Amino acid sequence: MLVALPASIAFGVTIYAAIAPSYAAIGALAGIIGATVIGLVASTLGGTDRLISAPCAPAAAVLSAFAIELVGQGIDPNTIVLLLVLLGVLAGIVQLLLGFIGVGRLIKYIPYPVVSGYLSGVGLIIIGSQIPKFVGAAVGTRWWEALLAPWSWDWRALAIGTATVIVAVAAPKITKKVPGTILGIVAGLLTYFALAIQEPKLWEITGNPLVIGPLGAARDGYFAAITERWHDIGDLHLSQIASLFGSALTLAALLSIDTLKTCVVIDQLTRTQHDSNRELVAQGIANISSAAVGGTPGAGTMGASLVNLNSGAQTRVSGVMEGVLSLIAALIFGSFLAWLPVATLAGILIVIGIRMLDREPLRFIESRATVFDFAVVLAVVVVALTIGLIAASAVGVAMAIILFVREQIGGSVVRHKVYANQMSSTWYRPEAEMRIIEQKGNQAVIFELQGSLFFGTTQQLYSELEPELGKRNYVILDLKRVQSVDVTAAHLLHNVRQTLQERGAMLLFSGVREKLPNGRNLREFLEQTGVVNASDDSVVRVFPELDAAIEWVEDHILGEVQAPAETETPIELQEMDLFSHRKDETLKDLETRMEQRTYRAGETIYAQGAAGDEIFWIRRGTVRIFAPLGAGRSRHIASFSRGDFFGGLAFLDNRPRGNDAVALTETEVYVLSREQFDLLAEEHKKLAFSLITAIARTLAIRLRHADTELTMLQEY
């Protein structure tokens, strides 16, 4: 309360003094009411522990600028007061709607340069508005006019404001027990009364330009004034009310950003998680309530919240108590508040404004990579100072879009580009077939895409694809990591399809998801835009995974199509590459040592952790190997078909299985246990040696191939 209440009074004075100096006391009262009502309502309904809500700098900047504009138009002061009240109510309604429709989560993602420019712009506006009051210049003097005319300064106001600023800035370095704001106000008051000793006129409160003056907060007069205001609001023209919506949107956005920024900081310090939408609803209701009873709008304030946190606050009750104590302080010290020097409040706001200036973006100038970000900050600040916060909000949104597009364009949408002879499928093929794929695998190129495919990245993507379209028979585009695709990118893909079709080449898609992060069904979208034709796969094919697409290409490069499992005939030992040059008698002895087994489709042949004393040769069917990933998940890492063997590593080192083997189709296998192999080795040492050598050689080829692929992947 000691931090929030003085600042709230200062903000209220800033807003209403812009109408006329005589309205400063009304502003002080509006600040007190705002600190009380917002503190009570926002903390009661909000979901963020330790958050202190009160009138704030963004509200003061927007509302004082609004009041100055109306004064310039010659609007009656009483009408300006009514419009300020209505503007606060409308801003609260906008916040309420933003919370209900779930925009709270989005406001947090406004880029840092835009928020930084916003806050720095508000800080400079606050400083500029207080300079004339700080130096005691005549009413209506602009800050640059005041600075260029030192002969117009009131040295008494300057002395009071200077004492306030010096103590407010220096006090935190000496003690943390009393807020610097309070000590600064005390310093200003002491300076004022020291001057009053030498100038008796300063002991008079009425007509004294150096102090706020009587608040006029008598109970009957206050309620009568509020009732009269709402009666007069009913007489406003519809056009006057409609003209407020632009300012209401700007004010609501600033208050929401200020609140949620403070909530994020509290979350980081306390390791908690706030509910953005609930907080916006609470802040909206609080601002409606505050404006309805003559208070100024506000938001969750950083300074008071951090003081609250450091003082040991744990729950929302601390925010409620801030509102209660603000009311008690106003009732007890109401007459004393009338003696607050205007220059003291100006000094406090100047200190707050300086602290709002974000100096971090100055480091952006040091690097070419961040110069544009600094330009965004500078643009928002300049527009806020020269045109207004409404225009600055529009510039901020436009800059946010530009920042997004720039980041998307800056990163490559092609994550990985390889050829089929550099990245094979998980299907383990015979050595002869692997040589063919190594020789002819460059007929197929694989592009792993990432990020957003949209108008900003289309040209970049085409420049990567174009050199390959006239050379390759197969172009695979893996969309697994793609976040979104727009119509421009779909048009590009359609052109790629047509280019390949003219050459008789094929376009293959993999990882086409039915639900992207933006909710779009990617496969359906590609069909609607003509990229994919569900009834014709002669030019474009879609595969669920990249491995399936590579496997399909390998089959076509080899000029074969895998025979269905039902028509496969079991292969004999002598037909397998590993045993093709062995004597029939030797193979008969080996076969007698082997066990023949049959597994149904989907049946587990062995599981991770099982004893590893058997090796398997596939006579018929297909087996897939899965590596467990934890939490019940697994990944397909290899496939074996007729004539291949699997389970060799565990057979050699006799350690537990490291993965799962599952029959994809009905599968027949030869099984040789380590015990039977040892018996065979006693009778046929040459066969046993040749068998181990052949197994080790095949495993070495597989391992060498896997190492090559891993090395390539590490380059990306």
Side-chain angles (χ1 to χ4, degrees):
M1 184 275 292
L2 292 177
V3 175
L5 183 58
S8 299
I9 294 172
F11 292 135
V13 170
T14 297
I15 296 168
Y16 283 85
I19 303 174
S22 59
Y23 282 77
I26 298 177
L29 180 59
I32 295 170
I33 295 171
T36 301
V37 176
I38 296 174
L40 290 171
V41 177
S43 298
T44 301
L45 301 179
T48 307
D49 292 333
R50 309 172 182 88
L51 179 68
I52 297 297
S53 299
C56 58
V62 173
L63 294 176
S64 60
F66 178 75
I68 291 171
E69 182 181 352
L70 294 181
V71 169
Q73 296 174 4
I75 305 296
D76 179 68
N78 290 329
T79 302
I80 296 177
V81 172
L82 299 180
L83 293 175
L84 287 174
V85 170
L86 200 53
L87 181 54
V89 172
L90 290 176
I93 292 173
V94 171
Q95 283 187 287
L96 197 62
L97 294 176
L98 292 178
F100 277 132
I101 64 178
V103 177
R105 289 188 297 270
L106 301 180
I107 292 178
K108 295 188 297 183
Y109 302 114
I110 294 178
Y112 166 70
V114 176
V115 176
S116 175
Y118 249 49
L119 297 179
S120 295
V122 170
L124 289 172
I125 290 173
I126 291 294
I127 294 170
S129 68
Q130 299 307 308
I131 287 176
K133 300 182 181 69
F134 185 81
V135 300
V139 177
T141 305
R142 299 179 180 179
W143 67 268
W144 62 86
E145 296 173 341
L147 291 178
L148 294 175
W151 55 84
S152 65
W153 296 356
D154 186 332
W155 68 271
R156 299 170 301 177
L158 184 61
I160 295 168
T162 302
T164 301
V165 170
I166 292 175
V167 174
V169 172
K173 300 177 182 179
I174 301 173
T175 178
K176 300 289 186 181
K177 294 182 178 180
V178 182
T181 301
I182 296 298
L183 294 177
I185 291 174
V186 171
L189 284 168
L190 291 176
T191 304
Y192 175 83
F193 288 119
L195 293 172
I197 293 174
Q198 300 182 13
E199 191 173 341
K201 288 184 179 181
L202 297 182
W203 292 104
E204 298 177 5
I205 195 170
T206 304
N208 187 343
L210 293 181
V211 297
I212 293 176
L215 301 183
R219 186 184 65 178
D220 295 339
Y222 169 73
F223 287 110
I226 297 300
T227 304
E228 185 179 350
R229 279 185 193 176
W230 280 101
H231 179 271
D232 292 341
I233 285 176
D235 296 332
L236 292 175
H237 297 295
L238 190 59
S239 59
Q240 290 177 299
I241 299 174
S243 66
L244 298 176
F245 281 101
S247 297
L249 287 172
T250 300
L251 181 57
L254 284 171
L255 296 179
S256 300
I257 291 172
D258 208 28
T259 296
L260 298 183
K261 177 174 65 70
T262 303
C263 291
V264 169
V265 172
I266 292 175
D267 285 346
Q268 293 171 348
L269 295 175
T270 60
R271 297 180 181 178
T272 55
Q273 185 67 41
H274 74 279
D275 186 335
S276 300
N277 293 318
R278 176 179 173 180
E279 197 58 55
L280 281 188
V281 171
Q283 294 287 331
I285 295 174
N287 283 325
I288 293 171
S289 303
S290 175
V293 295
T296 57
T301 58
M302 183 73 72
S305 296
L306 293 180
V307 170
N308 191 43
L309 174 64
N310 294 331
S311 299
Q314 297 293 324
T315 68
R316 288 179 289 151
V317 176
S318 57
V320 175
M321 289 306 300
E322 177 272 328
V324 172
L325 291 174
S326 294
L327 178 60
I328 294 173
L331 293 175
I332 295 175
F333 301 107
S335 57
F336 171 76
L337 294 175
W339 288 100
L340 282 176
V342 174
T344 289
L345 296 179
I348 294 298
L349 289 185
I350 287 175
V351 171
I352 292 174
I354 292 174
R355 288 172 178 169
M356 288 186 69
L357 301 180
D358 190 358
R359 288 170 285 276
E360 189 68 21
L362 293 175
R363 294 179 10 185
F364 295 169
I365 308 175
E366 300 173 2
S367 171
R368 292 181 61 185
T370 54
V371 167
F372 184 77
D373 296 271
F374 178 78
V376 172
V377 177
L378 189 61
V380 174
V381 171
V382 170
V383 173
L385 295 178
T386 57
I387 302 177
L389 287 170
I390 298 176
S393 64
V395 169
V397 172
M399 289 293 187
I401 295 173
I402 293 173
L403 280 173
F404 171 76
V405 173
R406 187 196 68 158
E407 291 302 321
Q408 294 298 317
I409 295 175
S412 176
V413 293
V414 177
R415 178 176 182 268
H416 199 179
K417 171 188 170 184
V418 291
Y419 300 98
N421 56 1
Q422 297 172 315
M423 176 184 283
S424 64
S425 69
T426 56
W427 198 280
Y428 281 99
R429 300 179 183 276
E431 187 176 348
E433 292 183 358
M434 291 298 296
R435 288 200 190 100
I436 294 173
I437 292 174
E438 288 176 2
Q439 293 172 1
K440 300 183 178 182
N442 59 1
Q443 295 179 19
V445 60
I446 303 162
F447 289 93
E448 294 185 44
L449 306 183
Q450 64 182 358
S452 297
L453 306 184
F454 72 116
F455 64 88
T457 56
T458 299
Q459 187 58 41
Q460 178 201 120
L461 176 60
Y462 184 73
S463 65
E464 296 270 6
L465 295 177
E466 194 270 337
E468 304 292 346
L469 299 182
K471 302 176 183 178
R472 313 302 166 191
N473 295 331
Y474 308 95
V475 176
I476 302 176
L477 301 181
D478 182 34
L479 307 182
K480 179 180 178 181
R481 292 178 175 83
V482 169
Q483 300 297 311
S484 63
V485 181
D486 74 351
V487 175
T488 304
H491 179 70
L492 167 66
L493 296 177
H494 191 274
N495 291 341
V496 170
R497 167 190 170 140
Q498 290 182 323
T499 302
L500 293 174
Q501 186 175 9
E502 291 171 0
R503 294 183 46 250
M506 292 199 67
L507 176 62
L508 286 68
F509 290 104
S510 66
V512 179
R513 292 177 286 173
E514 293 189 356
K515 189 173 183 181
L516 293 175
N518 60 9
R520 173 173 286 174
N521 185 323
L522 181 53
R523 178 160 190 155
E524 184 179 288
F525 176 72
L526 293 178
E527 291 177 356
Q528 290 173 345
T529 52
V531 179
V532 174
N533 189 342
S535 60
D536 182 12
D537 60 1
S538 60
V539 180
V540 178
R541 281 179 173 263
V542 179
F543 297 89
E545 296 178 354
L546 177 59
D547 183 69
I550 299 175
E551 179 186 319
W552 186 89
V553 168
E554 289 175 348
D555 287 342
H556 280 67
I557 290 175
L558 293 170
E560 67 180 36
V561 177
Q562 199 69 25
E566 305 84 51
T567 62
E568 273 190 339
T569 56
I571 192 173
E572 302 300 331
L573 276 181
Q574 58 270 25
E575 299 177 79
M576 297 180 181
D577 289 343
L578 199 61
F579 308 109
S580 58
H581 302 295
R582 303 297 171 193
K583 295 179 180 179
D584 291 342
E585 295 80 6
T586 303
L587 292 180
K588 285 181 181 178
D589 289 343
L590 175 59
E591 190 170 359
T592 59
R593 300 287 181 181
M594 291 180 167
E595 179 185 354
Q596 295 187 31
R597 298 178 190 168
T598 301
Y599 295 93
R600 298 185 304 276
E603 186 176 355
T604 299
I605 298 173
Y606 59 73
Q608 181 192 27
D613 61 348
E614 296 178 333
I615 187 171
F616 302 80
W617 281 270
I618 301 175
R619 301 190 65 213
R620 176 176 67 90
T622 301
V623 175
R624 283 190 170 182
I625 307 298
F626 294 90
L629 299 177
R633 299 178 299 122
S634 62
R635 181 179 179 83
H636 172 218
I637 60 170
S639 296
F640 299 96
S641 60
R642 197 173 68 150
D644 289 330
F645 72 86
F646 63 94
L649 288 177
F651 174 78
L652 291 177
D653 62 16
N654 201 27
R655 297 181 62 183
R657 303 288 183 185
N659 44 48
D660 301 333
V662 179
L664 179 64
T665 61
E666 185 173 302
T667 303
E668 293 183 26
V669 295
Y670 285 119
V671 183
L672 178 64
S673 67
R674 188 58 186 256
E675 180 183 357
Q676 291 299 321
F677 172 79
D678 291 340
L679 294 175
L680 176 69
E682 293 178 2
E683 300 177 9
H684 300 280
K685 291 182 172 57
K686 187 176 180 180
L687 173 61
F689 177 77
S690 299
L691 181 59
I692 287 294
T693 301
I695 292 173
R697 182 175 181 276
T698 302
L699 291 176
I701 292 172
R702 293 176 182 176
L703 184 59
R704 189 184 298 274
H705 185 72
D707 284 343
T708 301
E709 290 194 353
L710 285 174
T711 300
M712 289 199 60
L713 290 174
Q714 288 174 354
E715 294 181 2
Y716 296 88

